[in-house]
Amino acid sequence: MFGLESKSPKILVIGDLMIDHYVWGSCERISPEAPVQVVDVKDENNRLGGACNVVHNLIALNAQVFVCGVVGNDEAGFWLGEKLESMGVDISYLFVDTSRPTTKKTRVIIANQQVLRVDRESKMPIDSHIHNNIVQHLHVVLDEVDCIIISDYGKGLLNDELTHFVIDYAKSKSKLVLCDPKGKDYSKYTGATLLTPNKKEAELATGITICDKDSLIKAGMALKTQCQLDISLITLSEDGIGIFDNNQIHIIPTRAKEVYDVTGAGDTVIAALSFALSSGCDIFQACEFANVAAAVVVGKVGSAVATHSEILQYIHTQPSNLQQYIESKIISQESLFTLLKDLKQSKIVFTNGCFDILHIGHLSYLNKARDLGDILIVGLNDDDSIKRLKGKERPINTLHNRALMLAGLECVDYVVSFCQDTPLELIKAIKPDVLVKGGDYHNKEVVGKEYAKEVVLIDFIEGHSTSNIIESIQRSKICKHS
């Protein structure tokens, strides 16, 4: 649907780097020393938090990520740097401040419920020497990237001077700047491409109580004017994302069906927005993409990320309307190969053909093919390959129309086109569990059979074919004119 699987924009994340430390345990008694629970620790681990979670989301989408931030000279800072580097993140702009600890939030969880949080952090401004070092060197990466994300958690890195420098320099180079803002005063974000406040944050920043559509529009337009934004938007939780312009609002509705945990959803939204905008999408397409990514994430427990495979699967399994559901089945080869990574446990059935005029013979054949596995993928000859195979008068229906007709069948899971005369390269890439061909292939060579685990031949219903239909129509025309 979005066609972003092959994109890999360069994105800089500058912000407050954190570790989310989780401690899981059980409690069967109260301490004799004080009226508190005694936790028997069963497991614990570290996860990327704060701006690092934005980085994690971008890596999941296959962006090239650079990170700028500050850690302490401690074990947590060492772990964080190693973790980011192991993921392929460029940490050349990761600075160590010996005067502060690495921000680490420890959450104690008993019976799936958080009972305590312990924060190790400093909210003091970063050391002036480190600040100057960042400003001195940051222009190098700002020149290289397509987009900058400012992920502000109010931990002392993004003071007014540094934030203004990043935005002003980036804008002078026509770079996108997306900010996840913090606090009441948004003046330091002036000139950014867009901000991603939620409704409550927008109220605090504008002083406008949002209670209806008119007040929401007023707040959205106030943000755009006050911060001189190219795009003004407000995230609306279960209602989606509101985009504001000319005293009007356009709401991109949410895609979430089941919400297990909203932790990190804001990080997913700004990461997905930056990825889509950097890849050439307009703001409406980018918000659609961000909403689907967020829907994937809130369906998981804990800070999570969304991959392209998960986004494609989500669109396919939980469409907002029938037309969108049908269109979601028509995918590019690249999207299909991405999707197949998450379908390894499914039995994949593949067949192919021209399917020029869909008829009962096709329907019977495809239903039988679908019964042979879990997922039916139909390879569809494009228009040029059909002309080469069938003659210049064919196809009767265009590739798009033929694909829509196939996708409208319940038995068909995905439709993917190919331009070669045979689907050999497609079969080689898919490596289906079952390769299905028509009964007329008895005693004939089946193209691609060496790449499938099994070949099954299905007999057609006698007398039903596209050629017969075309001949019948032509005879009817002749009779009419005679």
Side-chain angles (χ1 to χ4, degrees):
M1 178 180 176
F2 297 104
L4 299 178
E5 298 77 27
S6 62
K7 305 295 184 181
S8 186
K10 295 180 178 179
I11 299 175
L12 167 67
V13 178
I14 177 169
D16 298 304
L17 310 178
M18 304 181 197
I19 294 176
D20 287 335
H21 176 221
Y22 287 87
V23 177
W24 285 272
S26 59
C27 175
E28 297 178 354
R29 63 193 178 99
I30 302 298
S31 171
E33 302 164 0
V36 295
Q37 299 178 86
V38 176
V39 180
D40 182 14
V41 176
K42 302 296 184 185
D43 191 20
E44 60 181 310
N45 61 36
N46 290 330
R47 299 180 185 178
L48 296 171
C52 295
N53 192 43
V54 178
V55 170
H56 196 188
N57 275 272
L58 288 168
I59 289 293
L61 293 172
N62 200 35
Q64 300 175 63
V65 187
F66 302 75
V67 67
C68 176
V70 173
V71 296
N73 185 24
D74 49 27
E75 185 180 343
F78 181 74
W79 178 89
L80 196 151
E82 274 202 330
K83 179 67 174 177
L84 291 172
E85 191 170 29
S86 71
M87 295 164 59
V89 178
D90 188 317
I91 61 170
S92 304
Y93 304 90
L94 187 63
F95 297 88
V96 176
D97 187 342
T98 57
S99 68
R100 63 196 298 124
T102 302
T103 302
K104 184 175 182 178
K105 299 179 182 296
T106 298
R107 296 170 175 87
V108 180
I109 300 169
I110 299 173
N112 294 320
Q113 182 168 341
Q114 184 175 320
V115 297
L116 178 68
R117 194 177 99 178
V118 179
D119 290 356
R120 300 174 181 90
E121 64 181 19
S122 170
K123 297 181 182 179
M124 297 296 292
I126 59 171
D127 180 89
S128 59
H129 173 71
I130 291 177
H131 170 86
N132 294 334
N133 207 2
I134 292 174
V135 172
Q136 183 179 350
H137 293 93
L138 203 55
H139 69 276
V140 177
V141 69
L142 289 174
D143 286 342
E144 185 175 351
V145 298
D146 304 300
C147 176
I148 298 93
I149 295 177
I150 293 177
S151 182
D152 193 351
Y153 282 81
K155 305 303 179 187
L157 172 69
L158 291 162
N159 55 40
D160 289 10
E161 184 182 350
L162 181 57
T163 308
H164 282 309
F165 165 75
V166 171
I167 293 173
D168 292 345
Y169 189 88
K171 288 210 75 175
S172 74
K173 300 291 183 177
S174 300
K175 309 284 187 177
L176 296 164
V177 185
L178 283 66
C179 304
D180 189 356
K182 192 73 173 180
K184 296 181 180 180
D185 183 3
Y186 283 7
S187 60
K188 69 177 177 180
Y189 309 114
T190 298
T193 304
L194 62 82
L195 310 180
T196 58
N198 59 32
K199 200 184 296 185
K200 183 179 179 181
E201 290 168 335
E203 285 183 331
L204 288 172
T206 62
I208 297 170
T209 300
I210 299 175
C211 56
D212 54 20
K213 182 180 177 181
D214 289 341
S215 58
L216 180 60
I217 292 173
K218 187 176 179 182
M221 292 307 301
L223 285 173
K224 183 166 188 174
T225 302
Q226 292 168 13
C227 297
Q228 299 172 34
L229 306 173
D230 294 332
I231 300 163
S232 180
L233 61 82
I234 297 174
T235 61
L236 305 173
S237 189
E238 68 274 5
D239 292 324
I241 298 174
I243 305 170
F244 305 88
D245 197 23
N246 297 323
N247 290 311
Q248 294 183 326
I249 181 174
H250 184 96
I251 294 179
I252 308 296
T254 186
R255 291 295 201 92
K257 305 298 180 185
E258 293 180 308
V259 178
Y260 291 105
D261 192 344
V262 297
T263 305
D267 296 332
T268 300
V269 167
I270 197 168
L273 283 173
S274 67
F275 187 93
L277 290 171
S278 300
S279 299
C281 292
D282 62 33
I283 187 57
F284 301 103
Q285 295 168 322
C287 285
E288 284 274 10
F289 182 69
N291 270 345
V292 180
V296 171
V297 164
V298 299
K300 302 178 180 180
V301 177
S303 294
V305 298
T307 65
H308 286 294
S309 293
E310 290 171 323
I311 289 169
L312 285 166
Q313 278 188 288
Y314 193 93
I315 293 169
H316 183 62
T317 57
Q318 296 182 309
S320 58
N321 57 59
L322 181 59
Q323 182 63 27
Q324 195 171 63
Y325 173 59
I326 291 172
E327 290 176 354
S328 76
K329 293 183 177 186
I330 306 169
I331 58 178
S332 67
Q333 291 191 20
E334 202 150 36
S335 297
L336 175 62
F337 302 152
T338 299
L339 189 64
L340 287 173
K341 294 174 185 176
D342 285 346
L343 294 175
K344 292 177 181 177
Q345 304 305 313
S346 301
K347 188 175 183 181
I348 305 297
V349 181
F350 177 85
T351 192
N352 67 280
C354 300
F355 299 98
D356 195 359
I357 298 176
L358 208 57
H359 52 73
I360 191 171
H362 290 141
L363 185 60
S364 172
Y365 173 82
L366 292 170
N367 272 308
K368 288 176 181 177
R370 180 62 174 78
D371 287 341
L372 296 172
D374 303 313
I375 301 288
L376 174 60
I377 299 169
V378 178
L380 188 60
N381 289 80
D382 74 359
D383 293 347
D384 288 339
S385 68
I386 292 180
K387 288 184 187 302
R388 292 193 298 271
L389 295 170
K390 304 281 187 179
K392 63 180 183 179
E393 300 301 323
R394 300 280 297 273
I396 303 300
N397 290 300
T398 64
L399 173 63
H400 179 68
N401 289 343
R402 289 182 287 119
L404 281 175
M405 290 295 290
L406 284 169
L409 300 177
E410 187 178 353
C411 59
V412 174
D413 293 288
Y414 295 103
V415 179
V416 58
S417 64
F418 60 95
C419 59
Q420 299 84 6
D421 289 349
T422 76
L424 178 62
E425 293 303 315
L426 191 54
I427 296 169
K428 182 178 178 181
I430 294 172
K431 293 182 174 60
D433 296 289
V434 184
L435 175 59
V436 176
K437 296 298 290 183
D440 55 342
Y441 271 82
H442 283 292
N443 301 318
K444 289 184 182 179
E445 184 70 19
V446 175
V447 171
K449 67 178 183 180
E450 63 271 31
Y451 300 110
K453 293 179 182 177
E454 180 185 6
V455 175
V456 175
L457 303 182
I458 296 176
D459 290 328
F460 293 122
I461 298 177
E462 193 173 339
H464 291 280
S465 72
T466 299
S467 297
N468 286 345
I469 292 173
I470 293 172
E471 288 173 9
S472 177
I473 292 171
Q474 290 173 336
R475 284 197 300 271
S476 176
K477 284 182 178 179
I478 292 171
C479 290
K480 221 174 201 181
H481 293 291
S482 60

